[in-house]
Amino acid sequence: MHRLINLPLVFAATALVVSCGPRPQAITSTPQAKGLRVNEFTWGDGILLKKYSFPKAVYQPEKEDKDAFYYYPQNAQVRVFDSGLRYGATAGIRWEKKKVQPDQIFVKAGPGMAVFGKKDIPVTPIN
């Protein structure tokens, strides 16, 4: 019974963390690159964590926040594998303004974004 009482608190805390994530807006400054040429890569394992498969594509900057630019794949969608289920997601590459190379991915989660570290993203900036 005690666990059932805590369950709504867990859901509320999770929603709060996701909703407090970055809130990208329209671009008003100049991105580090006009686009990113990306080779296919994955993040996650598909069992404990969802597995995101980022397609080989050109990713264009479409949004920014005070710390980073958000690059979305053009004419492609990020595929998600989750315990046998497969579907698409709004996701892409987050490039922090103070860094020379991108090392994060983002996934739209409810009203906000979830950001995860990803070293060695196979990316070539297009200037």
Side-chain angles (χ1 to χ4, degrees):
M1 179 70 171
H2 181 65
R3 289 184 182 172
L4 290 177
I5 294 170
N6 287 334
L7 197 55
L9 294 175
V10 170
F11 288 132
T14 302
L16 183 61
V17 168
V18 170
S19 66
C20 291
R23 296 204 182 257
Q25 306 295 321
I27 293 177
T28 58
S29 57
T30 305
Q32 295 99 313
K34 293 178 184 176
L36 300 174
R37 187 166 284 112
V38 178
N39 287 324
E40 186 172 359
F41 70 95
T42 61
W43 183 90
D45 62 11
I47 300 168
L48 294 176
L49 297 169
K50 294 177 183 177
K51 182 176 184 178
Y52 295 91
S53 179
F54 290 79
K56 179 178 181 175
V58 173
Y59 290 53
Q60 297 291 323
E62 293 183 13
K63 306 241 182 203
E64 76 173 306
D65 61 25
K66 66 181 181 75
D67 299 318
F69 290 98
Y70 293 79
Y71 290 78
Y72 292 78
Q74 300 302 296
N75 303 318
Q77 190 173 33
V78 173
R79 293 178 309 279
V80 183
F81 303 95
D82 183 13
S83 302
L85 301 173
R86 294 176 186 222
Y87 50 92
T90 301
I93 297 173
R94 183 176 188 263
W95 189 350
E96 290 186 329
K97 295 176 180 179
K98 64 183 178 191
K99 296 201 175 175
V100 239
Q101 284 286 110
D103 64 356
Q104 295 178 329
I105 61 164
F106 69 88
V107 177
K108 184 161 174 38
M113 298 268 185
V115 176
F116 305 101
K118 170 69 174 146
K119 300 285 185 207
D120 302 322
I121 297 174
V123 61
T124 304
I126 301 169
N127 293 319

